[in-house]
Amino acid sequence: QVQLVESGGGLVQAGGSLRLSCAASERTFRTYAMGWFRQAPGKEREFVAAISWSGGTTWYADSVEGRFTVSRDNAKTTMYLQMNSLSPEDTAVYYCAQGERGTFYGGSYSYPDEYHYWGQGTQVTVSS
């Protein structure tokens, strides 16, 4: 059973930055694509960013493109999400998830059903 643990969330002012981490319990982490999703109160879970097994390919939601950067360190079995220029609209619980294969095809990276394991989430709150 893979365990994913997010950290790095917190309260930040608009325009600020945060770096989220997602630590995986298994070395098999390095063979799977990973993703970040978020869920705001009263809203559905939405895709944020994803990264292939090697880190060579990344995908982003239009709403975060140019502000967020996803990366991974397979030696540390950890994925990161650097979030810059944060706005109150980014307030949500952020979840990391492990895909079912090394990469994604078509637009499948944005579908929660393409991910097999999920973390418990970390709260990000951006004040105006």
Side-chain angles (χ1 to χ4, degrees):
Q1 181 77 11
V2 174
Q3 291 187 328
L4 302 174
V5 179
E6 302 95 337
S7 62
L11 174 64
V12 64
Q13 289 188 332
S17 298
L18 282 175
R19 188 195 195 201
L20 304 184
S21 298
C22 171
S25 63
E26 300 293 329
R27 288 183 176 271
T28 53
F29 166 91
R30 65 190 64 182
T31 65
Y32 292 100
M34 299 288 295
W36 287 99
F37 286 74
R38 67 186 181 186
Q39 188 166 18
K43 295 186 177 181
E44 294 187 353
R45 189 169 298 190
E46 66 172 357
F47 168 74
V48 175
I51 187 167
S52 65
W53 70 274
S54 66
T57 305
T58 56
W59 300 270
Y60 295 94
D62 289 344
S63 59
V64 307
E65 181 84 50
R67 300 188 298 123
F68 290 11
T69 302
V70 60
S71 61
R72 65 191 296 163
D73 185 335
N74 285 343
K76 296 182 178 179
T77 64
T78 301
M79 175 178 64
Y80 305 97
L81 185 67
Q82 177 67 43
M83 306 186 295
N84 299 328
S85 302
L86 285 162
S87 71
E89 289 70 36
D90 296 315
T91 294
V93 177
Y94 283 71
Y95 300 90
C96 68
Q98 181 174 298
E100 298 183 338
R101 53 187 66 86
T103 190
F104 295 103
Y105 301 97
S108 63
Y109 51 82
S110 66
Y111 301 141
D113 287 349
E114 292 291 320
Y115 296 82
H116 192 52
Y117 295 105
W118 292 81
Q120 292 301 305
T122 185
Q123 176 70 47
V124 171
T125 303
V126 185
S127 63
S128 58

